[in-house]
Each structure stands twice: as structure tokens, then as C-alpha cells.
Amino acid sequence: MKLCIAEKPSVARDIAKVLGATASKQGYMEGNGYCVTWTFGHLCTLKEPHDYGPQFKSWNLFSLPIIPNSFGIKLIPNKGVENQFKVIERLVEECDEVINCGDAGQEGELIQRWVLQKAKCNKPVQRLWISSLTEDAIKEGFASLKPAEDYKNLYLAGNARAIGDWLLGINATRLFTKKFGGNKAVLSIGRVQTPTLAMLVQRQKEIDAFTTEEYWELKTKYRDVVFNAAIDRLKTLERAEKGLEYLKVNPFEIVSFEIKEGKEKNPRLFDLTGLQVEANKKYGYSAENTLNYVQSLYEKKHVTYPRVDTTYLSDSLYPKIEGILRKMYPYQELIAPLLEAPIPKSKAVFDDTKVTDHHAIIPTEVPPSQNLSREEKLIYDLIAKRFIAVFYPECKISNTLVEGKVGTIPFKTSGRQILEPGWRTVYAKEPKEESTDKEKEKEEEQTIPEFTVGETGPHDPMIHQGKTTPPKPYTEATLLRAMETAGKQVEDEELREMLKNNGIGRPSTRANIIETLFKRKYIEKKRKNLIATQTGIQLIDTIEDELLKSPELTGEWESKLRKIEKGEYEANLFKEELIQMVTELTDKVVYGKGKVITLQDEEKEEVKEKKKREPAQKKELQSWEETKCPKCKEHNLIKGKTAVGCSDFKNCGFKITFEIFGKKLSDKQLLDLVLKGKTSKLKGFSTHPEGLTEGVLSLPDDFQVQLT
């Protein structure tokens, strides 16, 4: 009997159906010479400090650093996990061969290997490696199973990552909590989490320290075209007015006129980070929610494996492209022109040297079904249009550059025209993205007539007053890009691709890192912006060791983990380096100066105290009819008998019932949920599936109310 182990029950069902293992048993499927069972993601975890000795149960500065002689694994303490592991253990004992059908990535490899290690598996192991869950992909995968040995380095890298995170996370968290937490709360430190927080704190400090300055610029209008003076900004109005007087008494002269034709390259296919960035910019979805939506699309067989960090396809996929395009029924109007000729095979799309475990995220030949959620449809649409756009011709543009002068003051202007839209046709019906520099965009879009060098004439000079602006706060989109490039500001796609190996975190873990920073109250969200809290700022200020908070150095660790994956670096060497770092860090902190960090909740308590002293004014509640729907942001809400919902409920689908998890909410609590995205802490819930009776209700990006 051959035993297949998948990462979750739904994937196991898909595999069992293809293999003909249709008899349902307790914890597995059976038939046709196969047993197909599953894990629930991680069944095993690294042992905790107290598993290595009772002396490590309590947190003590002088027992640090905790460094086990060898790292052990254990089952996650959960009844369901224990029962499922017993099923796997028995099947491993009974089978002739194991087929590892785990998620085809580093984390998936680690999950399965730990389970097989715990089950004392000594049977031959094969590896199923697929990029989509369609029937054809599963059949192809089983026809070309690989020896488990081929993926040993992938496991070693995953194991080294887990040990590295344990060494740093356990020791540094205990170290900083005992030294600076004042016995009030845990100060969480992590290999990726801390440098990410450091980037947010650094940006926050730059914004807080920024001093706005006024400046003045000289402009003039000649033949209905606005020209800008090509000189430094003027610091005083007096100088600007002197300049204006000079401009008024001199004519305008054209010095040069040049039209250059150029091309705008097609956008790249999506990797996970690119998709999360686009979904955040376009729809405001968090990185975590986007990952959940695209994972669901993958499990429903509509898109390929999403946890990827490449924007390329392998050459072997080229023959399948036309078939996929033909099956994308909702997009046939855009696809029809592509099918009139052979699909172009460009190196910007197909490049085996740029494909690692998987290729970029693309649609499969299974078209989207009607039962997708609104969010899933929008994510599929992003992936589908990007897939179509890469096969369109490049967009041809014309750039016009005009230089002029008034007396001795040089002026210039530029304009841009689209000559042939090419790939932009795919996005023609979409609303235009809002520009951050409206003034510049307006000038770029102006129509520039034919000018002759040497022509002169009257003009209409003016003064433009402006203010310098501080750096922009990070959004999830810009933070993800910064994590990908270890904090370097990179616009160029090819350069960004090269820096990915030294990014911090992996595409699949970055969303979770950002969520952890929220949960720890180190950052908060204001509209789309991510803001470091006082606790977050103080924590980073307390860490003197650059290794802990430097994105570049963390990026170097990430690079070493990738080298382990390729067999170019020893996993044990990586572990030894981290042990040395943790030991040095511990000595430095234990014997250094101490101070207590103010926690975010304490700050809020102080604010509450101040507010209590002021006489309370009764505030009238906002009516539902004047409250905008938080989901579609177009229509107002209306109050029914049992719920509040969008007045365009048929299309939008937003509603909140008065009773949630067995507790009836007041209008004030419901309004908080709609307007602020969360309530204050509430008690009296009686029907929560996990048995929670108190907590904060929140309204995440998918608008399904959560209790935490």
C-alpha cells in the first residue's frame, strides 16, 4: 500500500479523487492501492525551553541564553492533532512507501518531514511536486514523482530557519522582557519582526522630525503651455517677486524642441508580494487577507501555487498558455486579439534561470466559478488581467521635451502622449490611479504644439508657492516592497528581482509578520498608513545591537538560508553563527543599563484619566441614514428589524446583525464597529464557536465580524 500525506483535508480529497481512493475512513481515504491522509498544517513544533529542563520554565535573566545540545520536536498539544497523528503513525507503520504530498515549498517540506520524523518513518519516501491542484496537474505530478532526497536541502533550510527563529525569538524576547518590561508585559523580539519594526520606527522619526518649509517657483505660460524655471527653488517671496519683475520685461524664447519615441514595458507577472502590493494599493486589502483570498483560489483550482517569489514562467509552460487563455471565458474580448497570431515567447516572461521551486502566479485552465466571494473575484481579476497583459505588445509613447529662456533664466516643460496603447488596452476601462503629485501629472498631460527653435513671443509669468512635504508613512504595500529589498528604495523591476535573495522574511511569512506587529501593539493603522506606537519606538530605541534591527544584516541571513536550500552553505554553520550572536547579545544586555518601556495600553490609560476629569458632554449618535457603507463606500446604511445593512445590499452584500455571537449590541457599539472598525472590550457572548465570552469585535477587510 502507498501512503500519501497532504497538508490539509481539502487537498487530500482532491488527490484521493484522482487516485481512485474513494472509501472514506477515520482520518484518511482508501482505495486502488492507496491511502490518502492529511495534516492540519503544522502537527509538530520545536520543543519549548521547559521541555529541555524544568529550570527553564520560569523566565530568569541569568539562565540565558538557552541553547539545547540538539533541537527536538514534539506534537502541538491539541486533541485533534494528537488523534490525527495516531492515524498517520499507524499508516506509516503499515504502508510500503510514503508519498509526501505536502505544500510544494520550504514550509510544506518542513511540516511533512517533522511528522515523518516523529512517526519514526523508515519506509522509502517519494515527493509529489505540483504547481496547481487541477486534475491534470495532479496526474502529471504522480507520473513524475521525485525521490525525497532531491528536496533534502529544502528541508535543511526550513529546519535552519525554524531553529534560527527559536534561538533568537526565545532568548531575545526573555532577555528584553526581563530587563526592560518592568514585569508588565512581554517584549517580543524576532529575526524578521524586529528589523521590520525598525524600518517603521525610522520612518516615523523622519516624519516627526520634519520641518515644513515654504518655497516659491517661477513659472510662465507661453502659447498655452506651462513652463517651469529650471533653477533652484526660491526660499523667500521677495526673491520670487524680483524674478517675476524680471520675467515681465523680457520675451520668451524657444531654445530646443525634441520629440523622442519610446516604449513602456509590459508589467511583470505576479509573485505573492507583487499581488499583495497591488491589492493593497487598489482595494486596501491587508497582506494577510490577500494571501487568504489567493490561497482559497488555489485550493478551488482557479490559480497556481501562490506562495512564490518569482515573476517568471518556465519554458515548459509555453505550450499550455494558449489553452489557459481560451478557457478564461469572461476575458475573451481582451484575449481574442492575442489568439490571432502565435503567443509571443518573451524572455521577460519565460526564463528557466529565474524560476526556483515554482513559477509566477497565473490562472489555471479551470475558469472562475460563480460562487467566489467578491474579494476572490477581484483578486482573480488582478491575476487574470496581468496574465493577459504580458502577452500584449509594449505600449508606445512619445516624450516631448521643450527648453526655453526668458532673458538669462532657463525654462523647460515636457509632455507625454500614448501613440499605441499596447498592453494598456487591458486596463483601459479601469479607473485611473490617483497620482500623488497632481500638479506634475497635469503638466505632463498637457498637449504640446509644434515649436520652432528661436521663436520668441509674449508670455504670462507667475509665482507658484509650495511647501516641502515630509516622507510618506509606510502602507502595507510600501512596507512589503521595503521588506523585499531589505529597506532599499527600488523602482526598477529588474534590480528589485536581484535584491529578492537578500529581502527580509519570505513572501509567505511577511503578512504574518505585519499582523504580529499589530497584535503586539507595536504598530497601528491610520487609514492606510502604518504608524509605529510609542511602545514600538521605545523598544527599537532600547535595542542597541544593530544585528537585531538592521534590515540589511537580516537580509544577509535570508541569503544564507537560500544558499542552504541550494546546497551552497552548511545549515550547522548558520546555527553556530546565531548561537554566537545570541550569546554576545545576552552578555551585553544583562550587564548593561536598565530602563522600563512604557506600554501602549498604559499611554491610553493616562489619556483616559485626563478625559475623566473633564465634564462629560452627551454626544448625539450619528444616524444610520447618514452613515456611509464601509464596504462599497458609495451608498448609505439602513436599519432593518434584525440588522443594519447597505441600502444597495443586492450588489454590495454588507450587513451586520444586532445580535452577534449571542450578544445583543447597542446602536453605539454597532456604530463603533462600522465607523472605527472595532468596538471597545465587551462581555456576554454566549455562542462563539471557540467558547469566547468576552473580547473586542472587529471588522476586517473581508467584512466578516471577528471576536478577539
Side-chain angles (χ1 to χ4, degrees):
M1 176 263 283
K2 292 182 179 182
L3 172 64
C4 301
I5 309 175
E7 196 167 301
K8 54 174 70 174
S10 61
V11 177
R13 281 193 293 274
D14 289 336
I15 290 170
K17 189 179 170 189
V18 170
L19 295 175
T22 50
S24 192
K25 305 283 183 180
Q26 187 68 44
Y28 66 102
M29 314 281 283
E30 189 177 28
N32 203 22
Y34 288 94
C35 280
V36 184
T37 187
W38 54 83
T39 62
F40 312 116
H42 279 279
L43 290 193
C44 297
T45 184
L46 287 173
K47 286 181 176 177
E48 293 171 78
H50 60 260
D51 296 315
Y52 296 105
Q55 71 274 26
F56 297 129
K57 196 169 180 75
S58 62
W59 290 28
N60 183 334
L61 262 186
F62 299 99
S63 66
L64 298 176
I66 302 166
I67 298 166
N69 290 328
S70 65
F71 283 82
I73 55 167
K74 65 175 185 177
L75 281 182
I76 288 169
N78 172 289
K79 199 71 190 154
V81 163
E82 287 161 16
N83 290 340
Q84 186 61 19
F85 178 74
K86 281 176 189 166
V87 171
I88 295 170
E89 195 174 32
R90 177 174 64 79
L91 292 172
V92 164
E93 181 64 34
E94 292 171 2
C95 75
D96 304 310
E97 177 185 303
V98 174
I99 301 170
N100 173 355
C101 303
D103 222 355
Q106 193 187 91
E107 199 68 7
E109 191 67 23
L110 186 66
I111 285 169
Q112 298 280 329
R113 296 257 187 160
W114 276 355
V115 166
L116 291 173
Q117 197 178 314
K118 186 75 182 159
K120 297 185 172 63
C121 175
N122 57 4
K123 306 290 168 71
V125 182
Q126 300 250 67
R127 184 58 157 112
L128 174 74
W129 194 269
I130 52 179
S131 284
S132 83
L133 292 172
T134 62
E135 194 172 318
D136 286 350
I138 293 170
K139 281 179 181 170
E140 279 177 32
F142 271 92
S144 57
L145 292 170
K146 306 279 194 304
E149 194 59 27
D150 289 5
Y151 298 92
K152 186 184 175 186
N153 288 332
L154 190 68
Y155 159 69
L156 289 174
N159 198 52
R161 177 186 299 276
I163 288 172
D165 288 344
W166 192 101
L167 277 168
L168 198 60
I170 295 283
N171 285 298
T173 296
R174 289 187 174 205
L175 183 64
F176 279 81
T177 299
K178 292 306 291 178
K179 186 77 176 181
F180 306 110
N183 295 322
K184 289 176 183 170
V186 172
L187 296 176
S188 171
I189 306 281
R191 186 178 60 84
V192 180
Q193 171 194 315
T194 304
T196 304
L197 176 60
M199 287 196 292
L200 286 155
V201 168
Q202 176 63 27
R203 180 64 55 89
Q204 191 68 39
K205 287 183 172 180
E206 286 167 8
I207 293 167
D208 293 345
F210 187 83
T211 308
T212 300
E213 291 176 0
E214 289 187 326
Y215 64 84
W216 290 264
E217 291 176 315
L218 296 174
K219 297 187 178 220
T220 193
K221 192 183 270 191
Y222 173 69
R223 285 179 56 186
D224 287 330
V225 175
V226 175
F227 286 78
N228 300 305
I231 56 172
D232 290 340
R233 288 170 170 175
L234 303 170
K235 298 289 172 71
T236 65
L237 178 58
E238 187 185 0
R239 285 194 65 194
E241 283 172 343
K242 273 186 187 170
L244 185 65
E245 291 309 312
Y246 177 81
L247 296 179
K248 282 178 178 174
V249 297
N250 287 285
F252 189 90
E253 182 186 342
I254 295 291
V255 175
S256 79
F257 177 71
E258 190 181 10
I259 298 177
K260 276 186 181 172
E261 286 194 8
K263 287 178 180 177
E264 229 181 28
K265 286 182 182 176
N266 302 47
R268 291 289 180 98
L269 288 169
F270 283 124
D271 58 6
L272 178 59
T273 303
L275 182 64
Q276 288 169 319
V277 165
E278 195 67 14
N280 183 257
K281 283 196 318 201
K282 215 162 191 179
Y283 306 121
Y285 295 164
S286 71
E288 186 175 47
N289 282 342
T290 298
L291 177 55
N292 291 340
Y293 302 143
V294 73
Q295 181 70 22
S296 173
L297 287 168
Y298 167 66
E299 286 168 21
K300 289 172 181 171
K301 307 179 184 59
H302 302 311
V303 302
T304 57
Y305 184 68
R307 295 163 188 261
V308 298
D309 59 358
T310 181
T311 58
Y312 292 88
L313 301 178
S314 49
D315 289 337
S316 60
L317 267 174
Y318 177 72
K320 297 181 180 179
I321 299 300
E322 188 181 327
I324 296 170
L325 288 166
R326 287 189 187 279
K327 289 282 177 72
M328 294 168 67
Y329 303 125
Y331 301 90
Q332 286 309 306
E333 195 182 322
L334 292 170
I335 290 166
L338 291 179
L339 301 178
E340 289 170 6
I343 302 296
K345 192 176 182 185
S346 151
K347 201 75 174 161
V349 179
F350 299 94
D351 189 342
D352 281 344
T353 64
K354 304 281 178 68
V355 176
T356 48
D357 302 342
H358 293 278
H359 55 71
I361 308 168
I362 61 170
T364 65
E365 61 272 24
V366 178
S369 53
Q370 289 304 307
N371 62 354
L372 297 181
S373 69
R374 179 175 176 270
E375 291 78 14
E376 286 169 353
K377 282 176 185 166
L378 289 173
I379 295 296
Y380 181 85
D381 185 65
L382 287 178
I383 296 165
K385 282 187 176 158
R386 186 63 67 94
F387 180 62
I388 296 164
V390 299
F391 299 116
Y392 263 71
E394 288 179 317
C395 167
K396 287 185 181 171
I397 54 172
S398 139
N399 288 315
T400 307
L401 181 65
V402 191
E403 292 180 0
K405 64 175 183 176
V406 178
T408 58
I409 298 178
F411 280 82
K412 63 180 180 185
T413 194
S414 60
R416 189 169 169 279
Q417 277 181 299
I418 292 176
L419 303 175
E420 289 175 28
W423 62 265
R424 284 191 170 275
T425 309
V426 177
Y427 301 97
K429 291 179 182 172
E430 296 199 359
K432 200 172 173 195
E433 278 185 38
E434 275 190 39
S435 169
T436 49
D437 192 343
K438 293 217 167 72
E439 190 79 24
K440 190 180 174 191
E441 186 185 52
K442 194 175 164 187
E443 285 176 14
E444 264 191 5
E445 284 181 356
Q446 62 185 340
T447 306
I448 296 180
E450 192 83 22
F451 287 110
T452 309
V453 174
E455 70 172 86
T456 64
H459 59 111
D460 185 14
M462 64 197 95
I463 293 172
H464 167 75
Q465 184 181 355
K467 284 181 181 176
T468 54
T469 54
K472 288 185 170 57
Y474 280 114
T475 62
E476 284 209 31
T478 55
L479 181 61
L480 284 165
R481 281 294 186 218
M483 290 172 82
E484 188 181 55
T485 56
K488 294 180 180 73
Q489 300 298 308
V490 179
E491 292 300 320
D492 183 76
E493 282 280 5
E494 284 177 31
L495 182 56
R496 189 188 290 149
E497 199 74 30
M498 286 161 64
L499 287 169
K500 278 182 181 179
N501 283 351
N502 285 53
I504 59 174
R506 296 209 77 163
S508 52
T509 60
R510 287 176 191 139
N512 186 252
I513 294 294
I514 296 170
E515 289 305 311
T516 300
L517 292 173
F518 279 123
K519 282 176 195 153
R520 301 282 184 204
K521 295 194 170 78
Y522 296 158
I523 64 170
E524 57 192 13
K525 194 180 277 189
K526 289 185 180 171
R527 296 192 184 88
K528 269 191 177 184
N529 297 334
L530 303 181
I531 309 294
T533 63
Q534 268 316 105
T535 308
I537 292 169
Q538 284 189 40
L539 178 57
I540 292 300
D541 286 350
T542 304
I543 299 169
E544 290 176 2
D545 200 301
E546 274 307 304
L547 272 166
L548 271 184
K549 56 185 180 180
S550 161
E552 289 84 359
L553 290 167
T554 308
E556 282 177 27
W557 290 343
E558 202 65 46
S559 177
K560 284 174 183 173
L561 285 165
R562 286 172 189 269
K563 283 179 179 172
I564 294 169
E565 210 172 288
K566 292 175 189 168
E568 297 167 2
Y569 201 79
E570 281 294 320
N572 275 338
L573 190 55
F574 179 78
K575 186 173 91 173
E576 291 307 318
E577 285 173 6
L578 272 172
I579 287 172
Q580 187 184 341
M581 181 202 148
V582 164
T583 307
E584 287 171 6
L585 175 72
T586 304
D587 290 345
K588 202 184 291 182
V589 173
V590 168
Y591 301 107
K593 284 182 183 174
K595 64 174 181 180
V596 176
I597 290 175
T598 311
L599 300 168
Q600 185 70 359
D601 286 344
E602 288 176 37
E603 294 165 38
K604 286 179 180 170
E605 285 302 319
E606 283 175 34
V607 172
K608 275 184 197 168
E609 283 301 316
K610 283 177 189 170
K611 281 185 179 172
K612 272 182 194 172
R613 293 176 203 134
E614 296 167 13
Q617 291 182 327
K618 196 160 184 184
K619 198 176 172 188
E620 217 171 286
L621 285 181
Q622 182 174 325
S623 78
W624 291 112
E625 287 71 21
E626 61 186 16
T627 305
K628 274 264 184 284
C629 170
K631 189 172 180 183
C632 68
K633 297 183 174 60
E634 287 177 26
H635 302 273
N636 287 358
L637 297 176
I638 51 171
K639 187 176 182 181
K641 288 181 181 175
T642 59
V644 171
C646 181
S647 54
D648 185 33
F649 179 76
K650 191 177 174 187
N651 294 311
C652 169
F654 175 78
K655 76 167 181 180
I656 296 183
T657 54
F658 298 155
E659 190 175 292
I660 298 174
F661 302 128
K663 177 178 174 65
K664 199 166 186 337
L665 300 188
S666 67
D667 269 12
K668 166 79 170 73
Q669 289 160 346
L670 283 166
L671 265 171
D672 280 351
L673 195 52
V674 170
L675 296 174
K676 298 176 185 173
K678 62 179 182 179
T679 64
S680 54
K681 192 168 183 181
L682 305 174
K683 293 183 179 181
F685 298 100
S686 57
T687 62
H688 191 270
E690 290 172 20
L692 296 179
T693 57
E694 62 183 64
V696 174
L697 289 172
S698 60
L699 201 58
D701 290 348
D702 61 0
F703 297 98
Q704 303 297 313
V705 178
Q706 290 181 356
L707 178 62
T708 51

